[in-house]
Coordinates of all heavy atoms in Angstrom, one line a residue:
R13 N -3.4 24.7 -2.3 CA -4.3 25.5 -3.1 C -4.1 27.0 -2.7 O -4.2 27.9 -3.5 CB -5.7 25.1 -2.9 CG -6.2 24.0 -3.8 CD -7.7 23.9 -3.8 NE -8.2 23.5 -2.4 CZ -8.4 22.3 -2.0 NH1 -8.1 21.3 -2.8 NH2 -8.8 22.1 -0.8
G20 N 8.6 33.4 -1.3 CA 9.8 32.9 -0.8 C 9.7 32.0 0.5 O 9.9 32.5 1.6
A30 N 6.8 6.7 1.1 CA 7.6 7.3 0.0 C 6.7 7.8 -1.2 O 7.0 8.8 -1.8 CB 8.7 6.4 -0.5
V33 N 5.2 11.1 -0.2 CA 6.2 12.2 -0.2 C 6.4 12.6 -1.7 O 6.4 13.8 -2.0 CB 7.5 11.7 0.3 CG1 8.7 12.7 0.1 CG2 7.4 11.4 1.8
D59 N 24.3 13.9 -1.4 CA 25.7 13.7 -1.7 C 26.3 15.0 -2.4 O 27.4 15.4 -2.1 CB 26.0 12.5 -2.6 CG 25.8 11.2 -1.8 OD1 25.9 11.2 -0.6 OD2 25.6 10.1 -2.5
F88 N 17.0 15.2 1.5 CA 17.7 15.4 2.7 C 18.2 14.1 3.4 O 17.6 13.1 3.3 CB 16.7 16.1 3.7 CG 17.3 16.4 5.0 CD1 18.2 17.5 5.2 CD2 17.1 15.6 6.2 CE1 18.8 17.8 6.4 CE2 17.7 15.9 7.4 CZ 18.5 16.9 7.5
V96 N 21.9 22.8 4.9 CA 20.5 23.0 4.6 C 19.9 24.1 5.5 O 19.1 25.0 5.1 CB 19.7 21.7 4.7 CG1 18.2 22.0 4.6 CG2 20.1 20.8 3.5
N102 N 17.8 32.7 4.2 CA 17.5 33.8 3.3 C 17.0 33.3 2.0 O 17.8 33.0 1.1 CB 18.8 34.6 3.1 CG 18.5 35.9 2.4 OD1 17.4 36.3 2.3 ND2 19.6 36.6 1.9
E115 N 11.8 9.0 7.3 CA 11.3 9.3 8.6 C 12.3 10.2 9.4 O 13.5 9.9 9.3 CB 11.2 7.9 9.4 CG 10.7 8.1 10.8 CD 9.3 8.7 11.0 OE1 9.2 10.0 10.8 OE2 8.3 8.0 11.2
L122 N 15.9 19.6 12.0 CA 15.2 20.2 10.9 C 13.7 20.1 11.1 O 13.0 21.0 10.8 CB 15.7 19.4 9.6 CG 15.2 20.0 8.3 CD1 15.8 21.3 8.0 CD2 15.4 19.0 7.1
A147 N -11.6 5.9 2.2 CA -12.2 7.2 1.9 C -11.5 7.8 0.7 O -12.1 8.4 -0.2 CB -12.0 8.2 3.1
R154 N -15.5 8.5 -7.1 CA -16.5 9.6 -7.2 C -16.1 10.6 -8.3 O -16.9 11.0 -9.1 CB -16.8 10.2 -5.9 CG -17.7 9.5 -5.0 CD -18.3 10.4 -3.9 NE -17.2 10.9 -3.0 CZ -16.8 10.2 -1.9 NH1 -17.3 9.0 -1.6 NH2 -15.8 10.7 -1.2
E182 N -2.4 1.9 -9.1 CA -3.3 0.8 -9.2 C -4.7 1.3 -9.6 O -5.4 0.7 -10.4 CB -3.3 -0.1 -8.0 CG -2.0 -0.8 -7.7 CD -1.7 -1.9 -8.7 OE1 -2.6 -2.2 -9.6 OE2 -0.6 -2.4 -8.7
V201 N -11.9 -6.4 -10.1 CA -10.7 -5.9 -9.2 C -9.8 -7.0 -9.0 O -8.5 -6.9 -9.2 CB -11.2 -5.4 -7.9 CG1 -10.0 -5.1 -7.0 CG2 -12.1 -4.1 -8.1
L213 N -3.2 -19.7 -5.6 CA -3.2 -20.0 -4.2 C -4.7 -20.0 -3.6 O -5.1 -20.9 -2.9 CB -2.4 -19.0 -3.4 CG -0.9 -19.3 -3.2 CD1 -0.2 -18.2 -2.4 CD2 -0.7 -20.7 -2.6
I216 N -6.4 -23.1 -4.7 CA -6.0 -24.3 -3.9 C -6.6 -24.3 -2.5 O -7.1 -25.4 -2.1 CB -4.4 -24.3 -3.8 CG1 -3.8 -24.6 -5.2 CG2 -4.0 -25.4 -2.8 CD1 -2.3 -24.4 -5.2
M276 N -15.0 -12.5 12.1 CA -13.7 -12.9 11.6 C -12.8 -11.6 11.3 O -13.3 -10.7 10.7 CB -13.8 -13.8 10.4 CG -14.5 -15.1 10.6 SD -13.6 -16.2 11.7 CE -12.1 -16.5 10.7
L280 N -14.5 -11.2 6.2 CA -14.8 -12.0 4.9 C -15.6 -11.1 4.0 O -16.5 -10.4 4.5 CB -15.5 -13.3 5.2 CG -14.8 -14.3 6.1 CD1 -15.7 -15.3 6.7 CD2 -13.7 -15.0 5.2
R326 N 1.4 -32.2 -2.7 CA 0.3 -32.8 -3.4 C -0.4 -33.9 -2.5 O -1.6 -33.9 -2.4 CB 0.7 -33.3 -4.7 CG -0.4 -33.9 -5.6 CD 0.1 -34.5 -6.8 NE 0.7 -33.6 -7.7 CZ 0.1 -32.9 -8.6 NH1 -1.2 -33.0 -8.7 NH2 0.7 -32.0 -9.4

Side-chain angles (χ1 to χ4, degrees):
R13 277 194 297 270
V33 171
D59 286 341
F88 180 78
V96 168
N102 189 16
E115 179 64 282
L122 189 68
R154 276 196 298 272
E182 294 295 346
V201 172
L213 272 180
I216 292 172
M276 296 297 293
L280 295 162
R326 183 187 295 273

